[in-house]
Amino acid sequence: MSDLLDGQTAVITGAASGNGRGIARQFAEEGADVVVADIREEDRLGGQPTHELLEAETDVRAKYVECDVTDSESLENAVGATEEFGGIDVMVNNAGIIGPQKPLTEVGYDEYRQLMEINLDGVYFGTQAAAAAMINQEEGGSIVNMASAAGFEGYPNLTPYSTAKGGVRLFSYAAAADLGQHDIRVNSIHPGQIETAMTAEDMAPDDSEGSERTEQGDQASPSIPLGRPGSPEEVGDVVVFLASDLASYVTGESILIDGGLTNTG
């Protein structure tokens, strides 16, 4: 523990499981108090709820707040929950789903809208809620938005997912331009194949290149230069960097966390 985030308070959406849980654990290890904002309290893999785990493993304060990222008022409430810890310093818009895995012509309107409301609209309004609080506090802050390697490449049978994640990337650039005057930094991260419950359970088993090059979760694509999938904690390490003073001059960036797959495959 190096206390990179000592004295900071973060809201992490979708932090009950997967990448969000890994990010929350790394934040707590670095001294940040954490608001776990999720539609569910339980980890999909079982075990202690994230907020209880953080308090058991570290000396930080943590709390769970029920949060539906498709509801802007719910996001505002999650940000408001930081007031008992001194206000918000970091917002991690992590919540997301993989959604329909089928050809473009077979994706229904309701399926498309559900994915966009969670994966893109949730990021937009989460950023908006956090930025409003940060501006009011006049202390700046850091916002990190969860995208995907699919935000750099279009994957077959994942058109809504790729669309949303590409949107997160460009939205983060625009938000960085808008919010820089308030000393608020905005960046996006783009994981590739990461071992989480979502990717193991929700990705359809498929031998196609498209499924290998997304976040499958049980066996690494042979195209990954590092030869293995990543972990949620490794994703968390990158988010810690972006949230900390080590990245004080980093904004409007999109960082791949994919073992080199996207740029070498």
Side-chain angles (χ1 to χ4, degrees), residues 198-237:
M198 183 178 79
T199 57
E201 296 172 5
D202 297 348
M203 286 298 297
D206 190 329
D207 292 329
S208 68
E209 181 182 3
S211 68
E212 283 188 342
R213 292 174 65 82
T214 55
E215 302 142 331
Q216 207 165 336
D218 56 353
Q219 183 176 356
S221 165
S223 302
I224 297 176
L226 292 184
R228 62 174 178 83
S231 71
E233 288 72 27
E234 288 176 308
V235 174
D237 286 339

Side-chain angles (χ1 to χ4, degrees), residues 172-194:
S172 299
Y173 295 164
D178 265 5
L179 299 174
Q181 62 183 309
H182 301 290
D183 196 27
I184 299 171
R185 299 180 293 104
V186 185
N187 297 284
S188 61
I189 59 168
H190 298 255
Q193 189 175 330
I194 308 296

Side-chain angles (χ1 to χ4, degrees), residues 2-261:
S2 53
D3 295 328
L4 285 173
L5 302 178
D6 187 42
Q8 304 288 294
T9 300
V11 175
I12 305 172
T13 66
S17 304
N19 284 325
R21 185 175 171 94
I23 293 166
R25 294 182 76 175
Q26 299 309 93
F27 267 51
E29 285 292 332
E30 294 297 338
D33 296 323
V34 177
V35 172
V36 175
D38 205 310
I39 200 167
R40 56 185 292 163
E41 186 172 354
E42 301 78 16
D43 178 15
R44 288 179 63 170
L45 294 178
Q48 280 183 294
T50 300
H51 66 291
E52 294 180 3
L53 181 68
L54 301 186
E55 292 195 328
E57 290 183 336
T58 70
D59 294 329
V60 307
R61 297 170 294 177
K63 67 180 297 183
Y64 167 76
V65 175
E66 184 175 353
C67 178
D68 179 353
V69 299
T70 68
D71 181 347
S72 60
E73 185 175 339
S74 186
L75 285 161
E76 291 169 3
N77 289 340
V79 171
T82 64
E83 292 179 5
E84 69 177 83
F85 297 157
I88 187 170
D89 300 290
V90 184
M91 180 75 177
V92 183
N93 290 300
N94 164 78
I97 61 173
I98 292 174
Q101 300 163 63
K102 51 190 173 183
L104 166 65
T105 55
E106 297 178 13
V107 176
Y109 178 81
D110 290 341
E111 293 177 305
Y112 174 84
R113 283 306 322 152
Q114 181 194 34
L115 184 138
M116 297 301 285
E117 287 173 1
I118 295 172
N119 288 14
L120 183 55
D121 298 357
V123 171
Y124 186 102
F125 290 106
T127 298
Q128 185 182 73
M134 290 173 179
I135 291 169
N136 186 58
Q137 292 171 181
E138 298 182 343
E139 296 179 358
S142 174
I143 299 172
V144 182
N145 294 326
M146 176 64 74
S148 164
F152 280 82
E153 298 184 319
Y155 293 156
N157 296 324
L158 283 170
T159 52
Y161 185 78
S162 299
T163 299
K165 295 305 186 179
V168 169
R169 180 186 178 193
L170 291 179
F171 164 69
S172 299
Y173 295 164
D178 265 5
L179 299 174
Q181 62 183 309
H182 301 290
D183 196 27
I184 299 171
R185 299 180 293 104
V186 185
N187 297 284
S188 61
I189 59 168
H190 298 255
Q193 189 175 330
I194 308 296
E195 292 183 313
T196 69
M198 183 178 79
T199 57
E201 296 172 5
D202 297 348
M203 286 298 297
D206 190 329
D207 292 329
S208 68
E209 181 182 3
S211 68
E212 283 188 342
R213 292 174 65 82
T214 55
E215 302 142 331
Q216 207 165 336
D218 56 353
Q219 183 176 356
S221 165
S223 302
I224 297 176
L226 292 184
R228 62 174 178 83
S231 71
E233 288 72 27
E234 288 176 308
V235 174
D237 286 339
V238 177
V239 183
V240 165
F241 163 72
L242 290 172
S244 76
D245 288 342
L246 293 177
S248 59
Y249 201 57
V250 180
T251 193
E253 285 294 336
S254 46
I255 299 180
L256 282 159
I257 311 170
D258 68 347
L261 176 61

